[in-house]
Amino acid sequence: MNAGEQLSLWGLISSASLLVQLVMLMLLLASVISWVMIIQRGTYLSRARKSMINFERKFWSGADLNQLFRDGNAAAEKGKIDGVESLFRAGFTEFTRLRQQGKSSPAAVMEGTERAMRVAMSREQEKVEMNLPFLATVGSVSPYIGLFGTVWGIMNSFRGLATMHQATIATVAPGISEALVATAMGLFAAIPAVMAYNRYSAKAEWLLSSYETFAEEFSSILHRKVHASG
């Protein structure tokens, strides 16, 4: 292998020690998985935001709650209900069930309704925040894993220099270069993960805040409804 091939990216990776190669492979896998999650999270959060806007537009247009509930039955049977519509269906289902029993007081009806919406809210929070901890982990740990590979590679380079009578740049450069590739790969895995985590965390926080606001407003509507009928 000539000097040009030895200093090429593939040459540096193939000539690295086994441990450094394992570090590089680990970082490559982390980068691939994080990119898959970045795309999935971006798609889901965009869809959730659009779904919330569309449902709230129908909800606040003055549509009858019973009709709005029936309109979502087909999608609910297919498991395609989430976001604020999931909160609405959970709360309205419990509200209707308790009122039909005829034995619960208005306070008990509202307590059961709000409890059902809190459970639905917890499920939606899990959906919205899914995979974000992994992106945070990749973003924070990858540079250190890459640095470990770099330190190990440089240690091997200096260990090899100890057996040489005369050290030159030509003998030192390949070993140090292959070690620095690990740091570069660590940054390559970490930077997109950190950027995606920060962006998606802000989107998730906004969505969850909007869900909570809707749940409180819907609870107020049901509160007036149950006391008016009572």
Side-chain angles (χ1 to χ4, degrees), residues 6-229:
Q6 190 175 8
L7 290 176
S8 67
L9 181 60
W10 176 248
L12 293 173
I13 295 174
S14 61
S15 61
S17 64
L18 179 60
L19 182 60
V20 176
Q21 288 180 341
L22 289 175
V23 168
M24 293 178 182
L25 178 61
M26 185 186 306
L27 293 172
L28 179 62
L29 290 175
S31 178
V32 171
I33 295 173
S34 64
W35 271 107
V36 171
M37 291 182 177
I38 287 170
I39 295 171
Q40 289 178 342
R41 282 295 86 198
T43 303
Y44 176 82
L45 292 174
S46 297
R47 188 173 66 247
R49 179 179 182 275
K50 188 179 299 183
S51 174
M52 184 191 69
I53 293 173
N54 291 337
F55 181 79
E56 285 195 331
R57 185 181 295 116
K58 290 188 291 184
F59 182 85
W60 295 113
S61 65
D64 179 68
L65 296 182
N66 290 286
Q67 183 60 45
L68 191 60
F69 183 85
R70 287 192 294 268
D71 290 343
N73 285 340
E77 291 175 358
K78 298 178 181 178
K80 295 182 178 180
I81 295 295
D82 56 10
V84 289
E85 189 168 0
S86 177
L87 300 181
F88 165 76
R89 293 187 67 83
F92 193 73
T93 298
E94 187 67 10
F95 178 80
T96 304
R97 185 184 69 82
L98 291 174
R99 288 187 70 193
Q100 288 176 347
Q101 289 179 355
K103 300 178 182 178
S104 302
S105 65
V109 171
M110 289 309 304
E111 182 180 352
T113 300
E114 291 172 355
R115 183 168 56 248
M117 286 196 289
R118 284 196 298 270
V119 172
M121 182 69 182
S122 297
R123 294 196 186 103
E124 293 307 311
Q125 184 174 0
E126 290 177 1
K127 292 179 184 177
V128 169
E129 295 179 346
M130 186 181 296
N131 297 333
L132 291 183
F134 180 84
L135 292 178
T137 301
V138 171
S140 60
V141 172
S142 292
Y144 296 103
I145 296 176
L147 183 61
F148 170 75
T150 298
V151 171
W152 188 268
I154 292 177
M155 285 173 57
N156 284 339
S157 297
F158 282 118
R159 191 178 297 116
L161 289 177
T163 61
M164 297 182 180
H165 297 290
Q166 184 177 2
T168 63
I169 292 295
T171 58
V172 175
I176 294 180
S177 298
E178 70 188 33
L180 292 175
V181 171
T183 296
M185 292 185 68
L187 294 176
F188 179 78
I191 292 173
V194 170
M195 293 178 65
Y197 173 78
N198 290 336
R199 180 176 177 81
Y200 293 162
S201 292
K203 283 188 174 183
E205 184 177 353
W206 180 82
L207 275 174
L208 293 175
S209 176
S210 300
Y211 291 172
E212 290 177 357
T213 301
F214 173 83
E216 291 176 2
E217 292 172 339
F218 184 46
S219 179
S220 298
I221 292 173
L222 296 179
H223 186 273
R224 291 194 296 268
K225 189 178 181 70
V226 72
H227 282 83
S229 62

